[in-house]
Amino acid sequence: MGRKSETGGVSPLGDRIQVLFTWRGKELRPTLAMKPTASNIKHAKRIRESIVADIKAGIFNLAKYFPDYKFADKHSPDETGRTFGQWADVWAELSTRNLEESTLYVYKMHLKAHWVTPFGNEMPKAITHERLLRHLAKLATEHINEDTGQVVTPLSRKTQNNILIPLRGVFELICKADPFLTNPTASIDNLKVQQPAPDPFDPDEVEAILATLQKYHGDATRDYFEFALFAGLRPSEQIALLWKDVDLRSATVRVRRARVNNKTKERTKTNREREVELNSRAAAVIERQRARTQLNGEYVFKNPNTDKPWNDVQGQLRIWVAALQAAKVRYRPQKECRDTSVTLALMAGADPMWVAKQHGHSVQVMLKDYARWIPK
């Protein structure tokens, strides 16, 4: 690093010693507060060698070597001196503008668990492409946690892809501040992941589940899941449904918001509002819900045990799992209620384009994922 010099990159300058080196593409000439004697010149050369080594390792701190350098502000000491962990905090703070709170929470957990723990105290330049690949290879295999001594199970291919999302975000931010830094996440491609096919419930299973829910949890819980199975809203959309979104005369609901982690956001997962026409089963549920919730709150569906809106979809998980076991129905997650709504409509002869519009799918997804349920 730095210009070749017969003086070794240091030279007398008045009653101080000037040190010459290149950092972040710029030539710097700060001075050391020491008289330019022969012994001090030798000492300054050793300091410069240390500076060059720090720059190469990506850990150089300008303020450490030259605390009184008058041009320090031009070289952004706050940004260039940040560790990877500090950059991760900055990225998380800035991402509150464009990421959902629940999404950002997961990304912060991924960063802390998989990236900040091993690399947090290092400078970004020291985190190379090869080191990231080696760390990913370690996460993909069973290994021993060096701190706890416990066996760590390998991360799935999907999880490996997911933890790369915030890592790429952090380095994208770092590289915008330092255009001379090569992004170490470049060329780390996502792994191919097998996408699960729709696994809906058949009509007999639907009726068995609903009968079991009514037997053990009552009418209100049964109606919640009957609406899910026949209207096909996303769970986060259903618990956010308000009475002002319901048109009783036309038997339609306007889907325009979602509820996650006890907070309602005024947009759906796809950021597109849609109108859903209710079939007779879903419309009958809405009529029964009027007596339960329309006069005492704005939410259509409430937790029958608390008479308050559902915080999130996890609140029904225990009920759902127990109901499938009692009904002797093979387990599928709650999201399959939505797939069931799609397939029941298709099997009844509904136009696939209409079904796609009802459920917020593209026609391509409808024809690709649900073709087997479209009558020949």
Side-chain angles (χ1 to χ4, degrees):
M1 305 293 292
R3 180 187 301 169
K4 292 182 179 179
S5 171
E6 295 179 357
T7 64
V10 300
S11 58
L13 186 64
D15 61 348
R16 299 170 71 91
I17 298 177
Q18 184 180 91
V19 181
L20 172 67
F21 57 91
T22 300
W23 181 44
R24 297 168 61 81
K26 296 181 180 180
E27 187 177 88
L28 277 67
R29 296 171 177 266
T31 59
L32 296 169
M34 56 178 66
K35 293 182 178 182
T37 63
S39 60
N40 282 345
I41 290 289
K42 290 183 179 179
H43 181 56
K45 289 181 180 180
R46 290 193 293 269
I47 291 176
R48 184 181 180 279
E49 290 173 357
S50 179
I51 290 172
V52 172
D54 284 359
I55 291 174
K56 186 175 181 180
I59 59 174
F60 175 63
N61 186 331
L62 183 63
K64 172 185 173 182
Y65 289 96
F66 306 101
D68 57 350
Y69 183 43
K70 62 180 180 180
F71 300 116
D73 290 344
K74 294 183 178 180
H75 301 281
S76 305
D78 287 341
E79 293 180 352
T80 58
R82 286 177 182 148
T83 63
F84 173 77
Q86 291 170 328
W87 273 112
D89 290 338
V90 173
W91 175 83
E93 179 182 353
L94 299 180
S95 295
T96 57
R97 175 176 176 270
N98 61 298
L99 290 179
E100 299 294 346
E101 183 177 349
S102 56
T103 302
L104 182 57
Y105 174 80
V106 173
Y107 286 168
K108 288 166 69 174
M109 294 291 288
H110 285 332
L111 281 172
K112 180 179 179 181
H114 303 297
W115 303 116
V116 174
T117 296
F119 301 114
N121 293 326
E122 298 189 32
M123 302 304 291
K125 190 172 182 178
I127 306 172
T128 64
H129 180 81
E130 180 181 344
R131 291 185 66 194
L132 293 181
L133 285 177
R134 288 185 179 278
H135 186 62
L136 281 170
K138 179 180 178 180
L139 295 176
T141 57
E142 185 176 277
H143 59 278
I144 303 297
N145 186 304
E146 296 177 358
D147 296 326
T148 64
Q150 296 179 336
V151 177
V152 181
T153 57
L155 296 184
S156 68
R157 296 169 73 89
K158 182 177 180 180
T159 301
Q160 291 178 57
N161 291 343
N162 289 342
I163 68 174
L164 281 170
I165 296 173
L167 179 70
R168 292 186 180 115
V170 174
F171 272 107
E172 182 180 352
L173 183 63
I174 294 171
C175 290
K176 285 181 178 178
D178 183 358
F180 298 99
L181 178 67
T182 299
N183 190 334
T185 66
S187 301
I188 300 182
D189 298 325
N190 280 350
L191 300 173
K192 291 184 178 181
V193 177
Q194 180 173 308
Q195 297 296 330
D199 190 11
F201 299 96
D202 64 38
D204 289 340
E205 289 177 320
V206 167
E207 299 307 331
I209 293 168
L210 294 178
T212 302
L213 286 166
Q214 184 169 23
K215 178 180 178 180
Y216 292 104
H217 300 285
D219 294 342
T221 300
R222 172 205 160 99
D223 282 345
Y224 175 89
F225 286 103
E226 184 167 2
F227 190 84
L229 288 158
F230 287 94
L233 275 61
R234 295 181 178 88
S236 61
E237 296 170 344
Q238 181 168 331
I239 63 175
L241 188 65
L242 305 182
W243 279 109
K244 65 182 181 181
D245 302 324
V246 179
D247 188 330
L248 295 169
R249 294 175 63 86
S250 64
T252 60
V253 296
R254 180 69 62 175
V255 181
R256 55 176 59 142
R257 58 181 60 83
R259 187 169 173 83
V260 181
N261 291 338
N262 203 23
K263 292 186 178 181
T264 298
K265 56 182 182 180
E266 296 298 319
R267 55 193 174 280
T268 65
K269 179 180 179 180
T270 59
N271 292 313
R272 297 192 66 176
E273 184 177 306
R274 70 184 188 278
E275 184 177 80
V276 176
E277 299 176 34
L278 303 180
N279 60 25
S280 59
R281 296 285 293 265
V285 170
I286 290 295
E287 286 296 329
R288 293 193 290 271
Q289 283 297 111
R290 292 180 65 187
R292 297 186 184 113
T293 64
Q294 190 176 30
L295 296 180
N296 63 351
E298 57 181 348
Y299 287 90
V300 175
F301 294 98
K302 294 183 177 181
N303 184 335
N305 297 321
T306 64
D307 198 35
K308 294 180 179 180
W310 291 98
N311 293 336
D312 52 43
V313 297
Q314 298 303 315
Q316 306 112 19
L317 182 60
R318 180 182 57 81
I319 296 173
W320 178 250
V321 172
L324 295 187
Q325 290 176 342
K328 298 181 180 179
V329 172
R330 178 172 58 84
Y331 175 78
R332 277 91 105 195
Q334 279 182 252
K335 69 180 185 65
E336 290 303 332
C337 292
R338 178 170 159 81
D339 285 335
T340 301
S341 173
V342 172
T343 55
L344 289 177
L346 291 174
M347 289 188 295
D351 185 336
M353 294 186 66
W354 177 85
V355 177
K357 182 179 178 182
Q358 289 282 286
H359 294 84
H361 288 313
S362 67
V363 176
Q364 291 84 352
V365 167
M366 187 62 53
L367 296 178
K368 174 185 174 184
D369 293 346
Y370 300 95
R372 59 181 287 200
W373 289 279
I374 300 175
K376 302 298 182 184

